[in-house]
């Protein structure tokens, strides 16, 4: 079987390499399990001297990492990848900053990745690059002589072609993408937009939808086990029989958190019967805290949370609990299982695995209701059972929350079973197998 070479911005940190616990690592677990794999990426270290490739091994899985110089890293990562591409690909042109030096740093780092990968490649390998950090990587690798299978998967959405082409460097990025044999995106909508953009330059449109997923058996088992654990028991005791509405996200402006907080405020104003009956827990650990827009978002949420609790709380009821620290994955799985409502309302999201995790975690005897943004990639698979909302509309979210909280058991079960079937019929293992099969058949 061909060796798999995974290329992504970050590789799992050393302490997680044994059990592969992070997001992408879980999605790729099945692909990695059955074959020799080499995972290449940035070490996480910023160092100005030239450093060699650093290699470690965990069984049949090897990791190869490089350090990056300070200026290159800043321009590539905080600059072009997260300051320009991330907002633009989420349709947020107004938040995107265009700076030529950042773009140059982004290209330089992609060249450095290609140099590193070229040094460790063997003929017969399958190369699979991940995400918006690596648009130019494939072309750079081809320029170094690689003619073997080369695939790319974009984890975030792709916007309509005219919006993407407002980016000054759009055309050269699309030409770079042309070097990949297979281009995977999350949904058919993303594929249509990317193909339209490629066709506008006369390139062969070749983006295809490969919706990413989770390991639902594993998540369900974790949730069940956590339900008997101390954290969930403490949480349950603190709820005093109130219904739990749960939000779990990285603290990111694409996740629609201010709108979600306003929706909860609307729920308490417009549906007074729910007052004192519900608790909304939002877990949103700080991410990319060194980017200005993320600091502004945090201030906005701090203020909103304070105002909502100040206005609605009783001396024995705190409506909103807001945590910006990370909580262990198993504990979160237990909270999902406890929740009456999973509230997942990104303004735009490639997939959103939290929505699928919420479904996997439920107890068939008493399942919760998923309130889901119609602009999350997951909506394409979960519209069969979720209450879909427009995440820009706090009033509509409040109405969906009230409906979810009032929903009788038979309807909850019927909706959940439909979503369960959808989640179990396309797992992370199916996702990686489908992509790799496509790459092998290039
Ligand atoms: P993310 O934007 O990080 O990922 P998401 O898919 O929701 O978003 O989450 C990925 C993983 O992180 C999930 O396993 C989730 O449980 C975990 N996670 C999220 N919030 C957490 C929290 N507060 N605490 C602990 N764990 C948390 C990007 C794209 C998504 C796409 C994924 C995978 O933006 O659209 O679904 O990649 O392709």
């Amino acid at each position: 079987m061909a060796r798999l070479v995974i290329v992504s911005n970050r590789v799992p940190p050393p302490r997680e390499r044994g059990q592969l616990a992070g997001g992408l690592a879980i999605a790729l677990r099945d692909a990695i399990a059955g074959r020799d794999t080499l995972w290449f990426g940035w070490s996480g270290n910023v160092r100005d001297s030239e450093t060699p490739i650093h290699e470690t091994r965990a069984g049949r899985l090897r990791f190869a990492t490089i350090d990056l110089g300070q200026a290159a890293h800043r321009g590539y990562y905080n600059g072009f990848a997260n300051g320009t591409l991330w907002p633009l690909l989420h349709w947020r042109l107004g938040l995107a900053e265009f700076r030529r030096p950042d773009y140059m740093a982004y290209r330089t780092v992609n060249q450095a990745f290609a140099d590193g990968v070229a040094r460790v490649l063997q003929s017969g390998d399958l190369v699979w690059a991940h995400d918006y950090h690596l648009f130019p990587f494939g072309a750079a690798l081809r320029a170094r002589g690689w003619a073997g299978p080369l695939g790319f998967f974009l984890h975030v959405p792709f916007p309509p072609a005219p919006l993407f082409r407002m980016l000054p460097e759009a055309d050269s990025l699309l030409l770079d993408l042309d070097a990949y044999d297979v281009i995977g995106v999350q949904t058919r909508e993303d594929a249509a937009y990317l193909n339209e953009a490629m066709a506008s330059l006369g390139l062969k449109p070749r983006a295809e939808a490969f919706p990413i997923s989770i390991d639902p058996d594993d998540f369900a088992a974790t949730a069940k086990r956590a339900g008997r654990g101390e954290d969930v028991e403490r949480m349950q005791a603190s709820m005093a029989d109130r219904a739990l509405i749960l939000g779990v996200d990285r603290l990111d402006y694409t996740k629609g958190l201010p709108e979600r907080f306003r929706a909860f405020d609307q729920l308490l104003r417009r549906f007074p019967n729910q007052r004192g009956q519900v608790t909304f827990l939002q877990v949103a650990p700080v991410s990319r805290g060194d980017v200005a827009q993320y600091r502004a978002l945090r201030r906005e949420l701090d203020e909103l949370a304070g105002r909502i609790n100040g206005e609605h709380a009783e001396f024995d009821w705190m409506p909103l609990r807001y945590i910006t620290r990370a909580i262990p994955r198993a504990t979160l799985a237990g909270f999902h299982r406890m929740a009456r409502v999973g509230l997942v309302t990104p303004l735009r999201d490639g997939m959103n695995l939290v929505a699928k995790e919420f479904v996997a975690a439920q107890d068939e005897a008493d399942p919760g209701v998923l309130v889901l943004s119609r602009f999350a990639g997951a909506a394409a698979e979960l519209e069969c059972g979720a209450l879909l909302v427009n995440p820009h509309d706090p009033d509509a979210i409040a109405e969906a929350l009230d409906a979810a909280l009032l929903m009788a058991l038979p309807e909850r079960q019927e909706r959940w079973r439909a979503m369960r079937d959808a989640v179990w019929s396309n797992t992370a293992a199916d996702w990686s197998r489908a992509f790799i099969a496509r790459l092998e058949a290039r």
Side-chain angles (χ1 to χ4, degrees):
M1 191 184 279
R3 182 172 74 151
L4 178 64
V5 176
I6 298 164
V7 187
S8 64
N9 170 54
R10 290 300 300 271
V11 303
R15 67 190 145 71
E16 285 175 17
R17 289 184 190 168
Q19 76 277 18
L20 292 181
L24 182 57
I26 291 174
L28 288 166
R29 201 148 52 185
D30 182 79
I32 292 168
R35 57 169 80 229
D36 290 332
T37 304
L38 174 71
W39 193 332
F40 186 98
W42 174 48
S43 62
N45 298 323
V46 173
R47 204 164 280 152
D48 264 324
S49 61
E50 184 76 8
T51 46
I53 299 175
H54 183 253
E55 292 200 35
T56 58
R57 178 185 279 280
R60 293 176 77 183
L61 174 58
R62 274 168 64 202
F63 294 95
T65 56
I66 53 168
D67 301 338
L68 294 174
Q70 181 109 46
H73 176 261
R74 198 185 312 116
Y76 149 76
Y77 187 74
N78 286 343
F80 197 71
N82 287 326
T84 308
L85 284 177
W86 175 269
L88 184 74
L89 294 169
H90 287 89
W91 306 37
R92 301 290 290 276
L93 183 67
L95 293 178
E97 293 174 346
F98 305 106
R99 281 182 298 253
R100 181 80 64 91
D102 288 350
Y103 178 64
M104 299 319 287
Y106 176 79
R107 291 205 81 84
T108 304
V109 168
N110 271 267
Q111 308 270 353
F113 267 52
D115 281 333
V117 172
R119 275 162 55 194
V120 293
L121 273 182
Q122 299 159 5
S123 71
D125 285 347
L126 292 169
V127 183
W128 186 3
H130 288 265
D131 229 358
Y132 60 97
H133 312 87
L134 297 176
F135 278 89
F137 164 80
L141 192 66
R142 290 277 189 240
R144 283 154 183 77
W146 178 249
L150 181 56
F152 176 74
F153 185 77
L154 184 65
H155 290 258
V156 299
F158 197 89
L163 203 161
F164 184 70
R165 294 191 69 194
M166 292 176 87
L167 172 68
E169 299 85 7
D171 290 4
S172 73
L173 292 178
L174 291 167
L175 288 165
D176 284 334
L177 275 184
D178 196 43
Y180 289 106
D181 297 313
V182 179
I183 300 172
V185 291
Q186 302 276 21
T187 67
R188 287 162 60 175
E189 188 188 21
D190 297 322
Y193 290 141
L194 176 49
N195 283 331
E196 183 193 341
M198 293 188 80
S200 70
L201 294 186
L203 303 172
K204 179 170 160 263
R206 64 163 79 87
E208 287 171 65
F210 294 88
I212 199 170
S213 192
I214 60 167
D215 178 345
D217 287 323
D218 181 67
F219 203 83
T222 304
K224 211 167 177 178
R225 225 178 301 119
R228 299 186 293 267
E230 192 196 337
D231 285 355
V232 173
E233 264 178 20
R234 266 177 58 200
M235 177 68 186
Q236 195 95 54
S238 78
M239 294 286 299
D241 286 330
R242 294 186 174 104
L244 173 63
I245 300 172
L246 179 63
V248 174
D249 307 78
R250 278 185 307 103
L251 191 67
D252 192 295
Y253 53 76
T254 61
K255 302 295 182 182
L257 295 167
E259 293 79 0
R260 195 182 302 175
F261 280 20
R262 285 192 196 99
F264 183 62
D265 180 46
Q266 285 303 313
L267 174 78
L268 301 178
R269 283 176 202 284
R270 290 181 46 204
F271 303 95
N273 289 343
Q274 302 292 359
R275 298 180 55 86
Q277 305 302 310
V278 291
T279 295
F280 171 27
L281 169 63
Q282 175 65 52
V283 182
V286 173
S287 69
R288 303 176 195 168
D290 43 1
V291 178
Q293 282 110 347
Y294 288 76
R295 289 196 299 270
L297 172 66
R298 189 170 177 191
R299 276 194 300 275
E300 181 180 6
L301 291 171
D302 285 348
E303 192 187 310
L304 267 171
R307 187 174 62 65
I308 291 168
N309 274 332
E311 273 183 43
H312 297 288
E314 305 282 349
F315 57 78
D316 59 351
W317 171 56
M318 186 70 100
L320 171 61
R321 302 182 190 180
Y322 171 47
I323 302 180
T324 54
R325 279 169 289 112
I327 291 186
R329 186 175 174 76
T331 303
L332 281 177
F335 290 173
H336 278 305
R337 191 172 173 87
M338 246 182 87
R340 172 52 65 89
V341 182
L343 188 52
V344 184
T345 55
L347 302 181
R348 204 43 81 178
D349 218 330
M351 177 53 62
N352 195 296
L353 294 178
V354 173
K356 293 185 173 182
E357 289 167 347
F358 176 80
V359 172
Q362 296 309 303
D363 176 0
E364 174 158 24
D366 188 21
V369 180
L370 179 63
V371 174
L372 178 63
S373 164
R374 60 176 65 257
F375 305 129
E381 289 162 276
L382 300 180
E383 65 179 349
C384 55
L387 298 181
L388 289 194
V389 292
N390 182 327
H392 295 280
D393 185 354
D395 283 286
I397 300 172
E399 286 153 17
L401 282 173
D402 184 58
L405 290 161
L406 295 175
M407 194 180 286
L409 180 62
E411 184 178 351
R412 279 191 278 132
Q413 284 176 320
E414 188 183 332
R415 286 177 175 275
W416 176 74
R417 286 187 188 123
M419 293 192 286
R420 175 200 58 193
D421 292 349
V423 170
W424 261 268
S425 70
N426 173 41
T427 66
D430 297 325
W431 168 77
S432 64
R433 258 181 242 142
F435 189 92
I436 290 170
R438 187 69 194 74
L439 190 54
E440 280 174 328
R442 81 192 168 116

